[in-house]
Coordinates of all heavy atoms in Angstrom, one line a residue:
A312 N 105.3 0.3 -16.7 CA 104.6 -0.8 -16.1 C 103.1 -0.7 -16.4 O 102.3 -1.7 -16.2 CB 104.8 -0.7 -14.6
A313 N 102.6 0.5 -16.8 CA 101.2 0.7 -17.1 C 100.8 0.2 -18.5 O 99.7 0.2 -18.9 CB 100.8 2.2 -16.9
V314 N 101.9 -0.1 -19.3 CA 101.6 -0.5 -20.7 C 101.5 -2.1 -20.7 O 102.5 -2.7 -20.3 CB 102.8 -0.1 -21.6 CG1 102.6 -0.6 -23.0 CG2 102.9 1.4 -21.7
P315 N 100.4 -2.6 -21.2 CA 100.3 -4.1 -21.2 C 101.4 -4.8 -22.0 O 101.8 -4.3 -23.1 CB 98.9 -4.3 -21.9 CG 98.2 -3.0 -21.9 CD 99.3 -1.9 -21.8
A316 N 101.9 -5.9 -21.5 CA 103.0 -6.6 -22.1 C 102.5 -7.1 -23.5 O 103.4 -7.2 -24.4 CB 103.4 -7.8 -21.3
E317 N 101.3 -7.3 -23.7 CA 100.8 -7.8 -25.0 C 100.4 -6.7 -26.0 O 99.7 -7.0 -27.0 CB 99.6 -8.8 -24.8 CG 98.4 -8.2 -24.2 CD 98.4 -8.0 -22.7 OE1 99.3 -8.4 -22.0 OE2 97.4 -7.4 -22.2
I318 N 100.8 -5.5 -25.7 CA 100.5 -4.3 -26.6 C 100.8 -4.7 -28.0 O 101.8 -5.3 -28.3 CB 101.2 -3.1 -26.1 CG1 100.6 -1.8 -26.7 CG2 102.7 -3.1 -26.3 CD1 99.4 -1.3 -26.1
Q319 N 100.0 -4.2 -28.9 CA 100.3 -4.3 -30.3 C 99.7 -3.2 -31.1 O 98.7 -2.6 -30.7 CB 99.9 -5.7 -30.9 CG 98.4 -5.9 -30.8 CD 98.0 -7.3 -31.3 OE1 98.7 -7.8 -32.2 NE2 97.0 -7.9 -30.9
P320 N 100.2 -2.9 -32.3 CA 99.6 -1.9 -33.1 C 98.3 -2.5 -33.8 O 98.2 -3.7 -34.1 CB 100.6 -1.7 -34.2 CG 101.4 -2.9 -34.3 CD 101.4 -3.5 -32.9
V321 N 97.3 -1.6 -33.8 CA 96.0 -2.0 -34.5 C 95.9 -1.3 -35.8 O 95.1 -1.8 -36.7 CB 94.8 -1.8 -33.6 CG1 94.8 -2.7 -32.4 CG2 94.6 -0.4 -33.2
Q322 N 96.6 -0.2 -36.0 CA 96.7 0.5 -37.3 C 98.0 1.2 -37.4 O 98.5 1.8 -36.5 CB 95.5 1.5 -37.3 CG 95.4 2.2 -38.7 CD 94.2 3.1 -38.7 OE1 93.4 3.2 -37.8 NE2 94.0 3.7 -39.9
L323 N 98.5 1.2 -38.6 CA 99.8 1.9 -39.0 C 99.5 2.8 -40.1 O 98.8 2.4 -41.1 CB 100.9 0.9 -39.4 CG 101.3 -0.1 -38.3 CD1 102.3 -1.1 -38.9 CD2 101.9 0.5 -37.1
A324 N 100.0 4.0 -40.1 CA 99.9 4.9 -41.2 C 101.1 5.8 -41.3 O 101.8 6.0 -40.3 CB 98.7 5.8 -41.0
F325 N 101.4 6.2 -42.5 CA 102.6 7.1 -42.7 C 102.1 8.5 -42.6 O 101.0 8.9 -43.0 CB 103.3 6.9 -44.0 CG 103.9 5.5 -44.1 CD1 103.4 4.5 -44.9 CD2 105.1 5.3 -43.3 CE1 104.1 3.3 -44.9 CE2 105.7 4.1 -43.3 CZ 105.2 3.0 -44.1
S326 N 102.8 9.4 -41.9 CA 102.6 10.8 -41.9 C 103.5 11.5 -42.8 O 104.7 11.6 -42.5 CB 102.7 11.3 -40.4 OG 102.3 12.7 -40.3
G327 N 103.1 11.8 -44.0 CA 104.0 12.4 -45.0 C 105.1 11.3 -45.3 O 104.8 10.1 -45.3
N328 N 106.3 11.8 -45.5 CA 107.4 10.9 -45.7 C 108.4 11.1 -44.6 O 109.6 11.1 -44.8 CB 108.0 11.2 -47.1 CG 109.0 10.1 -47.4 OD1 108.9 9.0 -47.0 ND2 110.1 10.5 -48.2
Y329 N 107.9 11.4 -43.4 CA 108.8 11.6 -42.3 C 108.5 10.9 -41.0 O 109.3 10.8 -40.1 CB 108.9 13.1 -42.0 CG 107.7 13.7 -41.3 CD1 107.6 13.8 -39.9 CD2 106.5 14.0 -42.0 CE1 106.5 14.3 -39.2 CE2 105.4 14.5 -41.3 CZ 105.4 14.7 -40.0 OH 104.3 15.1 -39.3
A330 N 107.3 10.2 -40.9 CA 107.0 9.6 -39.6 C 106.0 8.4 -39.8 O 105.2 8.3 -40.8 CB 106.4 10.6 -38.7
L331 N 106.0 7.6 -38.8 CA 105.0 6.5 -38.7 C 104.0 6.9 -37.6 O 104.4 7.3 -36.5 CB 105.7 5.2 -38.3 CG 104.9 4.0 -38.0 CD1 104.2 3.5 -39.3 CD2 105.7 2.9 -37.4
K332 N 102.7 6.7 -37.9 CA 101.7 7.0 -36.8 C 101.1 5.6 -36.5 O 100.7 4.8 -37.4 CB 100.6 7.9 -37.4 CG 99.5 8.2 -36.4 CD 98.6 9.2 -36.9 CE 97.4 9.5 -36.0 NZ 97.7 9.8 -34.6
V333 N 101.1 5.3 -35.2 CA 100.6 4.0 -34.7 C 99.4 4.2 -33.8 O 99.4 5.1 -32.9 CB 101.7 3.3 -33.9 CG1 101.2 1.9 -33.4 CG2 103.0 3.2 -34.7
T334 N 98.4 3.4 -34.1 CA 97.3 3.3 -33.1 C 97.5 2.0 -32.4 O 97.6 0.9 -33.1 CB 95.9 3.3 -33.9 OG1 95.8 4.5 -34.6 CG2 94.8 3.1 -32.9
W335 N 97.6 2.1 -31.1 CA 98.0 0.9 -30.3 C 96.7 0.3 -29.7 O 95.7 0.9 -29.6 CB 98.9 1.4 -29.1 CG 100.2 1.9 -29.6 CD1 100.6 3.1 -29.7 CD2 101.3 1.1 -30.0 NE1 101.9 3.2 -30.2 CE2 102.4 1.9 -30.3 CE3 101.5 -0.3 -30.0 CZ2 103.6 1.5 -30.8 CZ3 102.8 -0.8 -30.5 CH2 103.8 0.1 -30.8
S336 N 96.8 -1.0 -29.3 CA 95.7 -1.7 -28.8 C 95.2 -1.2 -27.4 O 94.1 -1.5 -27.0 CB 96.1 -3.2 -28.6 OG 97.3 -3.4 -27.9
D337 N 96.0 -0.3 -26.8 CA 95.5 0.3 -25.5 C 94.8 1.6 -25.8 O 94.4 2.3 -24.9 CB 96.7 0.6 -24.6 CG 97.7 1.6 -25.1 OD1 97.6 2.1 -26.2 OD2 98.6 1.9 -24.3
G338 N 94.6 1.9 -27.1 CA 93.8 3.1 -27.5 C 94.6 4.3 -27.8 O 94.2 5.3 -28.3
H339 N 95.9 4.3 -27.4 CA 96.8 5.4 -27.6 C 97.1 5.6 -29.1 O 97.4 4.6 -29.8 CB 98.1 5.2 -26.8 CG 99.0 6.4 -26.8 ND1 98.7 7.6 -26.1 CD2 100.1 6.7 -27.5 CE1 99.6 8.5 -26.3 NE2 100.5 7.9 -27.1
N340 N 97.0 6.8 -29.6 CA 97.3 7.1 -31.0 C 97.8 8.4 -31.3 O 97.7 8.9 -32.5 CB 96.0 6.8 -31.8 CG 94.9 7.9 -31.5 OD1 95.1 8.7 -30.7 ND2 93.8 7.8 -32.2
T341 N 98.4 9.1 -30.4 CA 98.8 10.5 -30.6 C 100.3 10.6 -31.0 O 100.8 11.7 -31.3 CB 98.5 11.4 -29.4 OG1 99.1 10.9 -28.3 CG2 97.0 11.5 -29.2
G342 N 101.1 9.6 -30.9 CA 102.5 9.6 -31.1 C 102.8 9.5 -32.6 O 102.3 8.7 -33.3

């Protein structure tokens, strides 16, 4: 409920060849 409904990625990057790193519009970027 704390995540805005209109959340979107502002930046996408690959971490090696095993993961996607997302920077979200709410500022979160550690996942």
Side-chain angles (χ1 to χ4, degrees):
V314 176
E317 65 279 354
I318 193 84
Q319 63 179 331
V321 294
Q322 185 175 1
L323 300 174
F325 293 109
S326 184
N328 191 28
Y329 74 96
L331 176 69
K332 181 172 177 51
V333 181
T334 299
W335 295 99
S336 56
D337 65 356
H339 187 71
N340 67 354
T341 57

